[in-house]
Amino acid sequence: MPSTNQVILNAPLDMHLHLRDGEMLDNIVNGSAHTFSGAIIMPNLVPPVTTKEAVIAYKERIMHAIGDEKFTPYMTLFFKPSYDKAFLESVRDDITALKLYPAGITTNSEGGVSGFDVEELRPALSAMSELNLPLCVHGETNGFVMDREAEFVSIYEELAAAFPDLKIIMEHITTKESVAALDKFKNLYATITIHHLLITLDDVAGGMLQPHLFCKPIAKRPEDREALLKVALAAHPKVMFGSDSAPHPKHAKESCGCAAGVFTAPVALQLLTELFEKNDASLENLQAFVSGNAQHIYGVTPLSKTVTLEKKPFKIPSDYNGVVPMYANEEIAYSIQEVKNG
Ligand code: DOR
Ligand code: ZN
């Protein structure tokens, strides 16, 4: 992208977002709802979203918190191997996907899947495949922290081969191994965050520990980031932007026992634009990465929204209603100039 004073993005989509609930939802939702047309909403609440009633009620709370902004929350259900076809059919129209967490792997995932026995998962995954419901997966084993995602790739491949018509989204990929898996199976897709495109483990723990950059999966090695950058900047058709913006109260991050999650939603488009410009990637690719690819992969048509960014230094606030964003207090190159709905 040549250096430019203005960048216009149409209908940006965030295909992996934590909006939380209650006061936190009220405090942070506008950081997404103002600039994005829609987002895939993660179900890892306490308790997790596992019933039709819970999905509908959570969506209502989100719509209430959004107020006048134009924004579509694409809802997800927390995957349980016990879901049968009748249940999935009954909830089909209320959700866009299901999210599978390995048990205990990250925030509020205790009720997830333990052991990956394809036969145990077959009834639920076959039904999802027939109903054209994508499976979003947090792909980490409980191995050594730097190896968890690479170790999970064989599980992705086993699932992709066993359920060839099931769309499987490898969420927030961080490794070259996951990037390589994309081209091996037609039904494997991926989301990529802005923080994993910008940082490596060195930024988290190479100097003074940076709690606001600590997340799951943890940022990896430079060669992993290079592999992610390559597919994101080229807008590989099987990758899409998913922020994994995961707000936690300041005291839960700046504490002994730091919660995992990077809060990026309100600064994600500015950082993405700067990144694409710095790497001389085209505006067309940025548009595909933040919207077009997701529309094709999920078959969604977002609300129209035009976001104009201008090349004007923007000092990221120290916090948004008490939640510290990525790169708080630092200056970045782009700011949001205008958002037009409709
Ligand atoms: O860092 C993370 N935070 N990774 C996840 O998978 C969950 C998320 C959260 O909900 O806080
Ligand atoms: Zn997440």
Side-chain angles (χ1 to χ4, degrees), residues 16-18 20 42 44 99 101 106 138 171-172 216-217 243-246:
H16 183 130
L17 176 65
H18 297 270
R20 313 299 192 206
M42 291 297 130
N44 61 332
K99 174 71 186 285
Y101 288 95
T106 188
H138 183 119
E171 294 294 335
H172 42 55
K216 302 285 180 70
S243 69
D244 197 15
S245 178

Side-chain angles (χ1 to χ4, degrees), residues 106-125:
T106 188
T107 313
N108 306 331
S109 63
E110 289 70 24
V113 173
S114 344
F116 276 81
D117 176 355
V118 168
E119 290 321 309
E120 190 202 344
L121 302 176
R122 188 173 293 282
L125 295 185

Side-chain angles (χ1 to χ4, degrees), residues 126-187:
S126 300
M128 284 171 57
S129 181
E130 283 163 31
L131 295 166
N132 196 23
L133 275 168
L135 178 73
C136 303
V137 182
H138 183 119
E140 290 194 284
T141 66
N142 54 13
F144 180 67
V145 69
M146 287 294 278
D147 297 337
R148 288 175 187 176
E149 184 177 299
E151 286 174 4
F152 200 90
V153 168
S154 62
I155 301 177
Y156 277 130
E157 296 189 349
E158 196 182 346
L159 294 175
F163 305 97
D165 297 324
L166 177 68
K167 275 187 184 162
I168 300 173
I169 324 285
M170 303 188 285
E171 294 294 335
H172 42 55
I173 58 170
T174 61
T175 59
K176 57 184 177 6
E177 287 81 2
S178 296
V179 170
L182 275 174
D183 290 325
K184 287 198 209 151
F185 289 87
K186 71 164 184 30
N187 54 332

